[in-house]
């Protein structure tokens, strides 16, 4: 017997636009302020967050907005970016 909620979830996914799906994914992968300390050095989580944001911009036909997020994701994966201090601690150092 099929679970009614799984059928409706499948229907919702199939009827959603690619942009809506990407926005939902980006929201799900966003590192919140409460998660910052535990995930600031998690390269995979950081890259996922940046790639999801890039996908949203690409689907909005804003490739120039997507590029910085793609570069950030690459930097996390190739280790050319290091975690910044906690945003709430007043350090204004920028990532490259």
């Amino acid at each position: 017997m099929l679970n009614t909620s799984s059928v409706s979830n499948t229907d919702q996914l199939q009827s959603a636009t690619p942009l809506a799906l990407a926005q939902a994914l980006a929201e799900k992968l966003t590192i919140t302020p409460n998660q910052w300390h535990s995930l600031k050095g998690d390269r995979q989580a950081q890259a996922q967050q940046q790639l999801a944001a890039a996908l949203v911009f690409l689907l909005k036909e804003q490739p120039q907005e997507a590029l910085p997020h793609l570069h950030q994701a690459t930097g996390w994966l190739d280790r050319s970016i290091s975690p910044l201090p906690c945003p709430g601690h007043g350090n204004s150092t920028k990532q490259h």
Side-chain angles (χ1 to χ4, degrees):
M1 181 192 271
L2 285 175
N3 183 342
T4 307
S5 67
S6 68
V7 171
S8 74
N9 287 342
T10 300
D11 290 343
Q12 286 177 340
L13 288 173
Q14 289 178 347
S15 65
T17 66
L19 178 57
L21 292 170
Q23 288 172 324
L25 180 62
E27 184 177 322
K28 183 77 172 167
L29 295 175
T30 296
I31 296 172
T32 66
N34 291 340
Q35 298 169 317
W36 181 255
H37 285 102
S38 63
L39 296 177
K40 73 177 183 176
D42 185 330
R43 294 185 175 281
Q44 182 141 343
Q46 294 284 353
Q48 288 172 356
Q49 174 180 247
Q50 294 299 322
L51 283 172
L55 181 58
V56 169
F57 283 116
L58 283 173
L59 291 170
K60 287 182 171 184
E61 298 182 10
Q62 297 175 334
Q64 291 305 317
E65 297 294 328
L67 280 173
H69 293 282
L70 290 172
H71 292 301
Q72 288 282 319
T74 301
W76 280 107
L77 294 174
D78 70 11
R79 299 185 171 274
S80 63
I81 292 177
S82 296
L84 292 176
C86 177
H89 292 168
N91 190 335
S92 62
T93 305
K94 286 182 72 176
Q95 287 181 343
H96 298 21

